[in-house]
Amino acid sequence: MRALVAEDQALLRVGLVRILEISGIRVTAAVQTAAELEEALTDEQLDIAIVDVRLPPTFTTEGLAAVVHARTVRPGLPVLVLSQFVEPLYARELLAAGRGAVGYLLKDRVVDIDGFVAAVHQVAGGGTVLDPEVVAGLVSARPLHRLTERERQVLTLMAEGRSNTAIAARLFVTEKAVDKHINNIFIKLDLPPTADDNRRVLAVVAWLNA
């Protein structure tokens, strides 16, 4: 696997490169500015881009904007955003295409190296990995008055990529109850039900971006 790392903090950038390389992932570029990132994203052999939201020169949303643009040029380019900040507007835009291969994790909540590497592989393989706080920001970004409180809880866990079994365990209910809630969610949000976890996450996120 070929990975790109874009991070302006030197210690964190070096740390990410070492973690990835120890895990058998080849880092083809480790950059620290938006201009360097834009150039590195032109690598057609790139398997995943791991990018901070805020990069020089303005430290606003250069990193996220660069990968959003890159995915218009190369649809489905796997991108894992690793940041201290939640940027709902760009996060929704990144997810809106509905192609998967997207992750958004908050730096201060990534405490498990194995979990981080697993997230890299999941995104590179076309999956979706979202931090619960990012999901909460997306869900709360538009009113879900048609859903009950329990259905909103299930929707949030669905958007995190959790299976029905995992949702049932988290909410201390049966899988049959989860199935019922999900069916109600699809009906109320005019979304066709599907057994594919990744596709249903993308469907929910696409609705949130509609």
Side-chain angles (χ1 to χ4, degrees):
M1 183 190 304
R2 294 166 56 94
L4 156 66
V5 173
E7 169 58 56
D8 65 289
Q9 297 181 37
L11 289 177
L12 182 54
R13 185 172 63 254
V14 171
L16 286 171
V17 170
R18 289 185 177 178
I19 288 171
L20 294 169
E21 291 183 338
I22 289 173
S23 302
I25 299 171
R26 179 185 175 192
V27 178
T28 58
V31 303
Q32 58 182 326
T33 69
E36 293 172 331
L37 171 59
E38 290 170 1
E39 181 177 353
L41 285 168
T42 62
D43 180 1
E44 296 182 357
Q45 303 301 314
L46 192 64
D47 294 308
I48 185 169
I50 302 168
V51 180
D52 189 7
V53 169
R54 301 186 178 185
L55 295 173
T58 68
F59 294 98
T60 53
T61 57
E62 290 96 330
L64 202 46
V67 291
V68 167
H69 174 71
R71 279 171 63 95
T72 64
V73 177
R74 179 182 163 184
L77 170 68
V79 171
L80 175 57
V81 176
L82 188 62
S83 179
Q84 292 177 312
F85 309 96
V86 179
E87 296 286 351
L89 177 61
Y90 278 101
R92 289 195 296 273
E93 188 171 350
L94 189 62
L95 292 159
R99 296 186 180 92
V102 171
Y104 199 130
L105 301 177
L106 299 183
K107 291 178 181 177
D108 59 357
R109 290 166 57 88
V110 178
V111 296
D112 179 1
I113 291 177
D114 290 339
F116 169 69
V117 173
V120 172
H121 281 284
Q122 185 168 337
V123 172
T128 303
V129 179
L130 301 177
D131 186 282
E133 287 192 13
V134 175
V135 174
L138 293 174
V139 170
S140 61
R142 86 175 271 163
L144 302 177
H145 61 276
R146 299 172 67 183
L147 304 184
T148 66
E149 178 62 28
R150 177 63 85 183
E151 288 165 355
R152 282 194 289 269
Q153 292 173 346
V154 171
L155 172 62
T156 298
L157 293 171
M158 285 171 59
E160 290 176 21
R162 298 182 185 276
S163 66
N164 288 12
T165 301
I167 294 173
R170 174 65 69 89
L171 298 180
F172 302 103
V173 297
T174 65
E175 287 189 50
K176 184 176 181 180
V178 172
D179 286 336
K180 181 178 179 180
H181 289 311
I182 290 175
N183 285 335
N184 287 340
I185 289 169
F186 282 131
I187 291 171
K188 292 180 180 180
L189 303 187
D190 300 318
L191 294 169
T194 171
D196 186 296
D197 284 339
N198 185 49
R199 280 171 42 197
R200 74 179 185 175
V201 170
L202 297 176
V204 170
V205 175
W207 183 88
L208 292 171
N209 282 277

